[in-house]
Amino acid sequence: MPKNLTNVKEDILAVTRQMIKETGYSELNIRNIAARCAVATGTVYNYYSSKNQIIAEILMNEWKLMLRRIDQNTKNTSQIIDKLEIIFNELNYFMINVHGKWFQDHPIENTEEMNVSKLNEKRVLLRNQISEKVLTLVNSCCDMQKSSPETLDICDIISHILISYSNESAGFAKIKPSLCALINQLTTTN
């Protein structure tokens, strides 16, 4: 009779996350993940075709968690610049402690399932999600009902700045004057 396994997918993700913290990406392989989960190697392959696919799901889960934290934390402040700082800090944490820590020395291999084109698609999708967050915050803080094309462009520029600088060691103070100028342009335009 086949063994009835529960929460295997969640176990695979949790174990992989822990293994990366302990030994890094280079030591990670499906066989070791299966052994730590106490399942057969084939069981892991029933859920994921490669370690890259597991990593991609972990990163997406961490990204979604970050977006939820942004939503929650921006509710507690009324100033748009403070809300942008929250986004910046969350992005900075994600880039340094999640994305950067895992792939600093061992980037994902360019395989059929994780090729450069797909990574670029994901990057654009994620950037658009941040741009939508910025637009929502701008609309709520500036009492705008409808976003003009200029507002959309400025929100996109703000999101680019937040993302670009969050990957560096520079703090929010470095980009704050530029963001304030863009916000002022929004309030005088609309």
Side-chain angles (χ1 to χ4, degrees):
M1 177 154 225
K3 187 175 170 183
N4 189 9
L5 302 172
T6 58
N7 300 324
V8 175
K9 191 171 185 177
E10 292 84 5
D11 289 348
I12 292 168
L13 294 173
V15 163
T16 303
R17 198 179 276 118
Q18 187 60 38
M19 289 175 72
I20 291 170
K21 287 178 184 175
E22 291 171 4
T23 60
Y25 182 81
S26 62
E27 300 297 316
L28 193 65
N29 64 55
I30 297 292
R31 190 175 300 113
N32 292 344
I33 294 168
R36 288 274 295 266
C37 289
V39 298
T41 303
T43 302
V44 175
Y45 281 112
N46 286 337
Y47 294 91
Y48 300 99
S49 62
S50 70
K51 69 179 182 179
N52 287 345
Q53 193 177 38
I54 299 170
I55 297 299
E57 185 163 339
I58 290 170
L59 283 174
M60 286 307 297
N61 289 343
E62 292 291 332
W63 182 264
K64 290 174 188 173
L65 177 62
M66 180 199 69
L67 292 176
R68 287 194 305 272
R69 283 194 312 264
I70 288 170
D71 287 341
Q72 186 63 37
N73 294 334
T74 55
K75 290 178 185 176
N76 302 326
T77 184
S78 61
Q79 298 296 315
I80 184 70
I81 196 68
D82 296 333
K83 293 176 186 268
L84 294 177
E85 186 171 11
I86 289 167
I87 293 173
F88 175 84
N89 290 335
E90 288 293 340
L91 280 167
N92 183 259
Y93 179 85
F94 178 84
M95 295 297 192
I96 292 170
N97 295 306
V98 177
H99 184 271
K101 185 182 257 184
W102 288 0
F103 302 113
Q104 182 173 37
D105 299 320
H106 304 287
I108 292 178
E109 295 104 16
N110 189 15
T111 62
E112 191 172 311
E113 81 217 24
M114 286 301 273
N115 62 34
V116 173
S117 172
K118 283 187 179 182
L119 289 173
N120 281 335
E121 286 175 21
K122 288 283 187 200
R123 185 180 53 82
V124 169
L125 172 71
L126 300 178
R127 188 186 70 228
N128 288 342
Q129 288 176 335
I130 293 298
S131 198
E132 288 173 23
K133 292 276 181 221
V134 170
L135 178 63
T136 300
L137 296 176
V138 164
N139 283 341
S140 68
C141 289
C142 299
D143 293 326
M144 291 186 223
Q145 300 301 321
K146 188 176 178 190
S147 301
S148 69
E150 185 176 2
T151 300
L152 295 173
D153 288 343
I154 292 172
C155 288
D156 194 46
I157 291 166
I158 290 171
S159 66
H160 275 79
I161 291 170
L162 291 169
I163 292 167
S164 296
Y165 282 90
S166 68
N167 206 16
E168 298 179 8
S169 60
F172 185 76
K174 182 174 182 175
I175 61 172
K176 188 175 181 177
S178 298
L179 295 175
C180 287
L182 288 165
I183 292 166
N184 285 339
Q185 188 173 351
L186 279 172
T187 56
T188 57
T189 306
N190 293 308

